[in-house]
Every structure is written in C-alpha cells, then in structure tokens.
Amino acid sequence: MKNSKSILISIGTALLLFMIISIAYMSPALQGKQVSQHDIMQHIGMSKEIVDFTNSTGEETLWTNSQFGGMPAYLISSQDKSNLVSPLHYVFLLNNWRPVGFIFLYLLGFYIAMLCFGVNRWLSIVGAMAYAFSSYFLIIIVAGHNSKVFALGYMPAIIGGIYLTYQTKYLLGSLITAVFLSLQIYINHLQITYYTFLILLIFGIFQLVQAIQNNSYKKFLIATGAVLLASFLAVGSNFSKLWTTYEYGKYSIRGKSELVQSNGTQTSGLDKDYATGWSYGVDETLTLLIPNFKGGASGGALPENSKTFELLQQIQGTSAAKKAIKQLPTYWGDQPSTAGPVYVGAIVVFLFVLGLFLLNNQIKWWLLTVTLVSILLSWGHNFPGLTNFFLDHFPGYNKFRTVSMILVMAEFSMPLLGILAINEMLKSHLSQRDVLRKAWYSFYITGGVCLFFILTASGIYHFESDVDAHYLKQGATDFVNALQSDRLMLLRRDAFRSLVFVALAMGVLWLYLNKKIRPQQMILAMGVLILVDLWTIDKRYLNNDDFIRNKDYQQPIQQSKADEFILQHDGGDPDYRVLNVSLSTFNDATTSYFHKSLGGYHGAKMRKYQELIEYQLQPEIMRLINSLQKSGSLAVA
C-alpha cells in the first residue's frame, strides 16, 4: 500500500511538473495567443471549401475542387468518428490546449516509455525533458507540422509498450501498444509511423537473435503474438483512413509515374532527387552536439558584437542594422534551406557515449544501431549507396521525402540510452571507480570534439554558402567576408557552450560517484542542466515573438482587392479557376480560401496533375509572365 502511494505521488508530481514546464515555455498561451504556423495557414486555405460544406450540410465530403484539378478531401480535412480511442488524443493535449499541449504530449509520451523500460521514476522525468526539448521538435511547431508533433509524442509510448511486452508483461505491454499505436495512426502522419516501425524492426531482430541464443522461443512467440494482436486492433480502428490513403497513394506523387523517365532517378514512389532534396550533410551531423555547427537557420540571427553588424551599422545606421541581423543567411550546410538544426543536447550526447561504455546488454546495441541507421540515412544523396538501396528495395521508403527527418529516430534513441546509463549508475552493484573511469572517457570524447573545433575550425572550413554568390554578384564582398567570419564565430561560441555543459554534467557525476551528493540531488542537478541546455537553444527558434493573437491565428488570410474583384466578376460560374502568380502558384494554398485555384499546396497532389504542372502549366505561366513584363502589365495581373 505504501509503495502504491509512493508511485501515485511520483506520477502525479511528474504530470504537474510537465504541465508547469509546458505552460512556462508557451507562456503567451495564457494570454490567448497562438504560435504563428505557416503550414496551418496553408491548411486553413486548402480546407475552407471542405469546412464550409460540412458546416452547411452536416455531412463529410470526400472531394474538394478548391485547388489543383481537385483532390481527395480526406487528405486535407476529415473527421473520423469511428476511432474509439480518439477522445484520448484531446485528453493528452490537455483538452486540446494548443500549443501548451504539444510540449505536454512530448513529455508524457517519453515518460511512459521511461517507466516501461524500468527507469527510476524521478529519473524518468529527466528523460522526458531530454526528449521533449530536442530542437527539431520545437522547430516543427513553428512550421505548423502539428500531425508530426502528435505522432512524435506517441512514438516513445508505442516503443515502450512493445518493449514491456517482450519483458513478459504481455497484457499491460500490448494494451499500451494498442492504445498509442491507434492514436498515432489516427493522426495520419505515416512517415513518422514508418520510422517508428523501423525502430521496432531493429528491436525485433535483436529480440529474435536473443531468443535463438537463449533458446527462449516460447516467450518470443507469445510476445510477438501479443504485439501483432495489438497492432491488428490499432490498424483495425483506423482501417478506413489507412485504406483510402493507400488507395489514393498510387495516384499521387508518391506513386509510380506513367511517363517514361530517362534520368534513372525514378522509383516506384518519389523521384530520388525529390526524395533526397533535404539531405543532412555528413559533418552537419555534429549539430547533434554543437547546435550552430552549420550556422543555425537559413534566416539566422547574429549578435550586435558581430562583424556583420558593425559593417551594416556603418552603411545603414544602428537602427536598420539591428533589424537586419535578425534575418541573415548564417546557414552554410548542404540543405537547400533549414529552419534550424537537429540538436539533441550536449549533455545527452555525453550521456549517450557514456551509455556505450557503461551498458553491456542488448538494449545498448539496439539503440546504437538505431542511431547509426538514422544518421546514415539522414545523409541522403551524401551517402548514395545506402540511400539508393533503401529507395529501391525497402518497401515504402520511397514514398517519403525530406530524408533528414529520419533523425527523429536518433532523437529517440540517444536520450533513451543516456538516461538508461544514469539508471544503471544508480544500481549499487556497479564499481563506482569503474563508472567514473568510463565517465571520464565519455567526457574526453564529447568535450574533445568541442575543443577540437574551437581550435581548428578556421583552418578546416571556409564557411561558404551557395547564397554568398548572390551577394558577390552585387559587389558586396565586404558583407560576405563579414558573414563568413561570423559563421566561424557562431560555431566556436556554440562549441564552447557545449563544452561547458558537458563539463558541468561531468562535474555532477564526479560529485555523485565520489559520494559528495545523494542520488536525488544528482538526478535533480542533471535534470536542471539538461533543461537549461535545450531550453535556451529552443528559444532561438520558438519564442514569444512567434506568437500572434488567436483571432489572427483563426483568420490569417485576408481578402485582397484582387480577391474582391474576382468574386464580383466570376459570373456565377461554379467551375472557374484562378491563376495567382503573385506568389508561388503551386506551393501556396491561400488562394483556395476564396477561390477555386489552379495551383495550391499539398505533399501528395495527384501525380498526373503534377506532371501537367511540370510539362505544360509552368512553361505556359512563364511565357505569360514574360509577355506581361514586356507589355508593362504585370502589376495589373
């Protein structure tokens, strides 16, 4: 009874702390504000016709004509009332309190996984923070990738449930798996579900090897059967959504083209060049440890003591310079553009390396394999051998773009292994002297990498970016030189910053292993350091400046004079189409809010329409624009 009470107190404390942390980070939400999200504005535009139809008829429509040549409505906005566990989704989001619920869901999902892995209940809170505040998870909130946020929130709990099942907790493990897998599929972000499957596939292989080695086939088969049953229930509760997505997928850009391709990049899904357009650079992987290793975001910020600020101050004045340095091309990595780096945390990397030294079980090798697969596949066209093998031969892999997204697997495996290392350290059977020796090894490796780039980065890199050529053509050589110098400064500052946090974490472990502080104090100190480390980096990419009034969030698209003119002169034709060349016609859905647009925005538009765009519409539009420019009528158009 006493133990049960202690468990309830720790869980209640964890949930309360998660709520406080979530509110603190998203504090403008207390004023009724929302994060300004680009993709949500696009969604509001493309879903307007569907929402209006549902509001006026009370029925769901399966098709919309508001963008492209029309496309299925269930890939844009649909209500699936058949899923019996879907109400839990809003409970886990704190009654759909956005964006506070986003952070809370991240924390809750990994906390559940921690408990499934048998981690100390108080240490599990630290693990939840290490996962939830990984920089990419905050960056996608600003981008408006809400379904991805939800899927990543449920991913750890799914994996935890399956792990628990293979630990012979068949009923509890399969129940957790069924509930959270059903919720993740309900969210319908199949790319994250696919990556969840990859993590579990690697886990399953290790479990099979262990069963063969220990001759424990019965336990393996029972657990596998329980997992399959849980998966069957999860899939069954979302079958209509999965089936319609699968059926349409063959006709979307994720399906095979009917046109003969001669460039050798076509697969049964996406074109290889398109799928790998956003590939992480090989050395860019070091952003896991040093956030500004590649300059941060494409539109990054510089401090006022930077060389670029000094130059702009001389040219434009102080006021203009202060504004200009908030959005500069500081990124010099391999991707076409980025909203920010994937930073798992200097302390998390330090603990991950410690886990490789400290743990000696199957979990270590599973999580190391997941991490390596994640990193290698994130390189995309920078590591073509493995990437092309997966695109050509691994079922379903070629249906997804932005291969750098697969780093979410490492963002799960690295904090998990790091926290498991601390959990192992708390056990009394380990030699404290041996643990301390391995902790120093980890410090030398992670701290050594930071120190290496502090000292040698200027001799290794030139800090050049493709965008620099644009400024050089304009004769802005001094600006480019200042910018490249500041990119070096950003790398060195963050390398030093990471070195400090690694040293602080090592100091906490040294105090604990030398019995200067108690286990509870060590856990608390490590949790505070991890949270401060990640929180301060996350604030570079999601802060109070990203919030807008709820009214502006709900109605972000305002009617222009051109919209008003078209609506007055459409002649009542229900099939008219609008060509909007004042924006990226085929990458913007805001026109669909008021009209039936010739263009639009969706990651799974029809393949035939995409090919019509590429081979007919875009060339015609360019000829039209050139003609208007020559006649001086472009402003009217």
Side-chain angles (χ1 to χ4, degrees):
M1 184 69 181
K2 185 178 180 180
N3 188 47
S4 298
K5 184 178 180 181
S6 175
I7 292 173
L8 290 175
I9 290 174
S10 65
I11 293 176
T13 302
L15 295 178
L16 179 61
L17 183 60
F18 293 163
M19 190 176 298
I20 293 172
I21 291 172
S22 302
I23 294 172
Y25 194 94
M26 299 292 189
S27 57
L30 295 173
Q31 305 167 22
K33 293 184 177 181
Q34 294 280 353
V35 176
S36 177
Q37 299 176 293
H38 172 268
D39 278 18
I40 295 302
M41 183 172 70
Q42 299 298 322
H43 177 265
I44 290 173
M46 71 177 76
S47 65
K48 182 64 162 54
E49 184 182 53
I50 302 168
V51 172
D52 287 348
F53 178 86
T54 302
N55 290 340
S56 61
T57 66
E59 299 177 358
E60 290 286 330
T61 179
L62 300 180
W63 188 264
T64 177
N65 287 309
S66 66
Q67 64 175 359
F68 308 127
M71 67 176 295
Y74 49 78
L75 290 176
I76 299 173
S77 178
S78 64
Q79 297 295 324
D80 184 3
K81 300 177 182 179
S82 62
N83 191 314
L84 298 179
V85 300
S86 60
L88 286 175
H89 174 61
Y90 299 98
V91 173
F92 295 146
L93 282 175
L94 300 177
N95 196 30
N96 206 24
W97 186 12
R98 305 184 184 194
V100 174
F102 296 165
I103 303 290
F104 184 83
L105 182 60
Y106 284 151
L107 291 163
L108 179 64
F110 203 79
Y111 179 71
I112 292 172
M114 290 282 89
L115 297 180
C116 291
F117 278 88
V119 174
N120 174 284
R121 293 191 298 274
W122 302 108
L123 182 59
S124 294
I125 298 174
V126 177
M129 294 187 296
Y131 175 80
F133 287 95
S134 185
S135 68
Y136 180 74
F137 296 167
L138 279 295
I139 289 169
I140 60 176
I141 293 176
V142 180
H145 300 170
N146 290 355
S147 61
K148 191 188 301 182
V149 170
F150 304 147
L152 287 168
Y154 294 129
M155 182 176 76
I158 296 168
I159 298 169
I162 290 178
Y163 174 81
L164 199 62
T165 305
Y166 279 91
Q167 299 304 302
T168 69
K169 302 291 178 61
Y170 304 121
L171 182 59
L172 180 59
S174 57
L175 178 62
I176 293 173
T177 302
V179 170
F180 287 99
L181 181 58
S182 179
L183 286 167
Q184 192 189 60
I185 297 174
Y186 168 76
I187 293 308
N188 205 30
H189 197 292
L190 296 184
Q191 189 163 356
I192 298 301
T193 301
Y194 190 89
Y195 294 153
T196 306
F197 166 77
L198 280 182
I199 294 172
L200 293 170
L201 177 63
I202 298 170
F203 174 76
I205 292 172
F206 275 94
Q207 287 296 313
L208 177 59
V209 171
Q210 185 181 50
I212 294 173
Q213 291 175 340
N214 299 337
N215 196 27
S216 55
Y217 298 104
K218 182 178 179 180
K219 291 181 180 179
F220 175 80
L221 291 174
I222 293 174
T224 302
V227 168
L228 290 176
L229 177 60
S231 301
F232 176 79
L233 293 173
V235 169
S237 65
N238 293 280
F239 185 76
S240 60
K241 181 174 290 188
L242 288 171
W243 182 257
T244 51
T245 302
Y246 166 75
E247 185 181 43
Y248 172 71
K250 294 179 288 186
Y251 304 99
S252 76
I253 58 173
R254 310 299 172 112
K256 188 174 182 179
S257 173
E258 295 179 5
L259 300 181
V260 177
Q261 302 289 331
S262 59
N263 57 10
T265 63
Q266 186 61 42
T267 70
S268 59
L270 294 171
D271 180 89
K272 289 180 181 178
D273 290 339
Y274 180 72
T276 61
W278 266 261
S279 297
Y280 230 57
V282 175
D283 59 344
E284 193 170 359
T285 306
L286 285 165
T287 63
L288 296 171
L289 174 64
I290 304 170
N292 264 341
F293 190 86
K294 286 291 182 177
S298 296
L302 288 173
E304 292 185 15
N305 62 350
S306 63
K307 292 185 180 297
T308 304
F309 177 77
E310 293 175 2
L311 178 64
L312 293 176
Q313 188 179 35
Q314 295 173 7
I315 299 173
Q316 302 175 349
T318 301
S319 179
K322 286 182 178 180
K323 184 177 180 180
I325 60 170
K326 292 181 180 180
Q327 284 284 330
L328 288 173
T330 56
Y331 177 71
W332 53 283
D334 288 9
Q335 299 179 90
S337 63
T338 181
V342 177
Y343 177 64
V344 300
I347 298 175
V348 169
V349 174
F350 165 67
L351 295 175
F352 173 78
V353 176
L354 175 59
L356 295 178
F357 286 115
L358 193 60
L359 299 179
N360 190 26
N361 54 31
Q362 189 188 66
I363 294 179
K364 177 181 78 172
W365 298 112
W366 161 51
L367 294 176
L368 175 60
T369 303
V370 168
T371 305
L372 291 176
V373 168
S374 173
I375 291 172
L376 294 176
L377 285 175
S378 75
W379 293 346
H381 57 67
N382 296 311
F383 197 59
L386 182 64
T387 298
N388 289 335
F389 173 80
F390 267 72
L391 288 170
D392 291 331
H393 303 294
F394 213 83
Y397 188 76
N398 57 30
K399 305 298 182 183
F400 307 114
R401 65 188 292 258
T402 315
V403 293
S404 59
M405 193 193 304
I406 203 170
L407 282 172
V408 298
M409 291 169 57
E411 289 175 276
F412 166 80
S413 58
M414 295 182 75
L416 176 55
L417 183 56
I419 295 301
L420 288 175
I422 297 180
N423 195 61
E424 187 73 11
M425 195 184 305
L426 293 172
K427 298 177 180 178
S428 59
H429 69 270
L430 293 178
S431 165
Q432 301 298 295
R433 183 177 180 181
D434 183 56
V435 173
L436 184 59
R437 177 172 56 85
K438 291 174 179 177
W440 280 116
Y441 290 161
S442 179
F443 172 74
Y444 296 146
I445 291 172
T446 52
V449 170
C450 297
L451 182 61
F452 175 80
F453 284 104
I454 292 172
L455 299 176
T456 67
S458 60
I460 298 175
Y461 297 113
H462 297 292
F463 299 91
E464 297 172 344
S465 170
D466 291 340
V467 300
D468 294 351
H470 168 73
Y471 296 104
L472 291 173
K473 286 181 181 178
Q474 297 178 344
T477 304
D478 290 342
F479 173 75
V480 172
N481 289 338
L483 192 59
Q484 291 176 356
S485 177
D486 288 333
R487 289 170 183 156
L488 167 62
M489 176 267 294
L490 291 176
L491 190 159
R492 279 179 167 165
R493 282 191 177 185
D494 270 5
F496 179 75
R497 178 189 182 281
S498 292
L499 176 60
V500 169
F501 274 104
V502 170
L504 290 172
M506 180 63 213
V508 170
L509 293 186
W510 185 90
L511 290 172
Y512 167 69
L513 293 170
N514 283 281
K515 302 186 185 304
K516 306 292 184 180
I517 58 176
R518 296 191 298 272
Q520 296 87 342
Q521 293 172 316
M522 183 270 287
I523 293 172
L524 177 62
M526 198 64 73
V528 170
L529 287 175
I530 288 175
L531 187 60
V532 171
D533 176 18
L534 294 170
W535 184 296
T536 50
I537 295 299
D538 292 337
K539 282 296 183 179
R540 296 178 182 178
Y541 306 104
L542 200 174
N543 52 57
N544 292 2
D545 294 339
D546 295 303
F547 283 79
I548 58 175
R549 296 180 305 169
N550 189 55
K551 178 182 178 181
D552 297 329
Y553 179 84
Q554 297 295 337
Q555 295 180 328
I557 306 171
Q558 302 299 317
Q559 190 178 100
S560 67
K561 291 184 178 180
D563 293 322
E564 184 179 350
F565 178 85
I566 294 170
L567 291 171
Q568 291 175 351
H569 296 82
D570 62 19
D573 184 357
D575 298 317
Y576 77 98
R577 292 281 160 181
V578 171
L579 171 62
N580 189 348
V581 296
S582 67
L583 41 73
S584 181
T585 306
F586 301 106
N587 290 289
D588 192 288
T590 55
T591 305
S592 300
Y593 189 84
F594 298 107
H595 315 289
K596 292 180 175 64
S597 175
L598 192 67
Y601 170 79
H602 200 278
K605 65 173 74 74
M606 279 188 159
R607 165 70 71 177
K608 288 184 177 180
Y609 199 82
Q610 177 61 34
E611 290 168 346
L612 176 66
I613 292 171
E614 293 175 359
Y615 296 109
Q616 297 296 331
L617 295 182
Q618 282 184 332
E620 286 293 331
I621 291 171
M622 289 306 301
R623 283 192 283 269
L624 173 63
I625 292 174
N626 291 335
S627 176
L628 291 171
Q629 286 177 333
K630 289 179 181 179
S631 66
S633 304
L634 184 60
V636 177

